Amino acid sequence: MMKATYLLFSILAIACLSPRLISAQGLTIAPAHVVSDYNLGDKTDHLLGQKMKRVLTSSGLSSESELSRFALVPHITIVDEHTSATVPPKTTMQLSVTFDVTDMQTGNVFNSYEITVQSKGTNKANAIHHSVTALSLDTPEFKSFIGRSRSRINDFYESQVDNLVALARTHAKQGEYGLALYLLSEVPGSIASYGKVISAIEECYDLYIEVRAPQLLRQAEATWAASPNATGARKAMELLQEIPAGYKKYDKQVSAFIDKVAKKAIADDNRTWDFLEREAERRHLERISTLEAARDVAVAYALNQPQPINNIILW
């Protein structure tokens, strides 16, 4: 039963971790694809996206785009263009590149920054690409713009934190746990009232695991009852590994079920059990806090949602 005991520890040990061993969500501003009346081409769009990612990362703002409510959206406008009559012809372009920090849920622009660039190329597309190549975002002025945007967003969340917490609790009580945790996971930990958010995350996550954990245990028991063999054991154990972190209420039932399955699984296929041990350990190491486990639920919810504003497409 050593293997069964080890697997039980790996699956349930997270429940012993303190919910206060958490790392707060940082502010995220995700880079978006360029908005332009002229088709820039994938190469130019990608180049601008990489420049934005670098400056956001260096500013401590780059994170999972799934949890970002705000986007850095570049807009390119052709101010002037001229093609010479020489052979070969040369195209001179002057572009206005405006970066908007935009709330993707409302469309509100929190801050804007405009840069004018000029370059030459063998044709229109080539000249625009050269302009984007010459565009420098790693400047004190642009980073100051990002800093002002961060401050304004923090002020926004500070003013809305009570409303967001109340809304999240309402959704959780209605069984909409993913939406509740998603709303709370958006809030940056840098605001003064973030303690309210932590309490609400723990509360909503507790409601979630009270529903989700017994569902998974029942599914595992039904899976084993239908196929009491090595294949059934694998499927049942994989279901148990999905039990949310922090779940303690039915530890004894889970332990008894694992002991029962272990006898058959080890006897029939020791390799199956070895695999399950490694997988359980991996999941244990990945999920080291209540907040991180709650964020897993929020990310899963976010990945299944459409973008609130269709003309903003995140990288």
Side-chain angles (χ1 to χ4, degrees):
M1 289 296 96
M2 180 62 69
K3 290 177 177 287
T5 302
Y6 176 77
L7 182 59
L8 174 63
F9 172 80
S10 298
I11 292 175
L12 299 178
I14 328 173
C16 299
L17 294 175
S18 168
R20 298 297 171 182
L21 296 176
I22 57 179
S23 56
Q25 160 74 4
L27 175 62
T28 64
I29 301 177
H33 286 272
V34 67
V35 178
S36 176
D37 292 334
Y38 178 75
N39 184 10
L40 301 182
D42 292 341
K43 184 178 179 181
T44 304
D45 189 21
H46 178 76
L47 175 62
L48 187 53
Q50 291 302 307
K51 287 176 178 282
M52 289 189 294
K53 287 180 182 179
R54 283 195 294 270
V55 72
L56 288 170
T57 299
S58 65
S59 301
L61 295 173
S62 184
S63 187
E64 305 103 325
S65 60
E66 294 82 7
L67 292 181
S68 178
R69 176 170 175 169
F70 300 91
L72 181 61
V73 186
H75 301 261
I76 291 183
T77 302
I78 299 176
V79 177
D80 186 45
E81 64 175 297
H82 174 72
T83 300
S84 70
T86 60
V87 179
K90 291 288 185 180
T91 299
T92 301
M93 303 286 298
Q94 183 178 2
L95 305 180
S96 171
V97 187
T98 301
F99 295 88
D100 290 337
V101 175
T102 305
D103 183 336
M104 293 188 292
Q105 292 187 13
T106 65
N108 292 336
V109 175
F110 276 70
N111 205 5
S112 295
Y113 187 87
E114 182 180 6
I115 304 175
T116 300
V117 290
Q118 183 172 325
S119 69
K120 296 181 179 180
T122 55
N123 53 47
K124 188 172 183 176
N126 183 248
I128 292 176
H129 184 77
H130 285 169
S131 295
V132 172
T133 300
L135 186 66
S136 177
L137 304 185
D138 190 23
T139 64
E141 293 78 14
F142 195 86
K143 290 187 175 181
S144 177
F145 153 69
I146 294 296
R148 292 192 302 273
S149 302
R150 180 205 296 266
S151 178
R152 292 178 184 180
I153 291 172
N154 281 339
D155 290 344
F156 163 77
Y157 274 116
E158 187 64 50
S159 69
Q160 295 296 314
V161 66
D162 289 335
N163 294 334
L164 286 169
V165 166
L167 181 60
R169 283 175 170 150
T170 297
H171 284 303
K173 290 175 181 177
Q174 294 172 346
E176 298 172 324
Y177 309 109
L179 175 56
L181 292 168
Y182 171 71
L183 291 173
L184 296 170
S185 294
E186 289 182 323
V187 181
S190 51
I191 69 170
S193 301
Y194 194 69
K196 298 178 181 179
V197 178
I198 291 177
S199 297
I201 287 176
E202 293 173 344
E203 179 182 324
C204 293
Y205 186 69
D206 284 344
L207 291 173
Y208 165 70
I209 64 176
E210 280 296 314
V211 172
R212 184 59 178 151
Q215 285 177 346
L216 289 166
L217 179 56
R218 288 194 296 269
Q219 290 176 24
E221 291 172 338
T223 297
W224 173 249
S227 302
N229 50 42
T231 299
R234 175 190 291 266
K235 292 179 179 179
M237 292 302 104
E238 288 174 349
L239 284 167
L240 289 185
Q241 289 170 43
E242 295 298 321
I243 289 178
Y247 181 62
K248 298 180 180 179
K249 190 172 181 179
Y250 294 108
D251 281 2
K252 290 183 179 179
Q253 289 91 321
V254 173
S255 177
F257 177 65
I258 288 178
D259 283 342
K260 179 172 65 175
V261 175
K263 295 176 183 178
K264 180 69 174 176
I266 294 174
D268 287 359
D269 187 351
N270 196 63
R271 290 173 301 176
T272 296
W273 202 259
D274 289 340
F275 164 80
L276 293 173
E277 282 185 319
R278 291 193 301 272
E279 179 65 11
E281 182 178 17
R282 181 187 67 80
R283 291 180 60 81
H284 169 60
L285 293 174
E286 284 181 352
R287 303 169 65 190
I288 59 172
S289 75
T290 297
L291 183 57
E292 288 178 0
R295 279 164 58 83
D296 288 344
V297 180
V299 169
Y301 170 85
L303 288 172
N304 290 313
Q305 305 306 308
Q307 283 290 346
I309 300 175
N310 292 330
N311 66 335
I312 297 179
I313 303 174
L314 299 182
W315 275 99

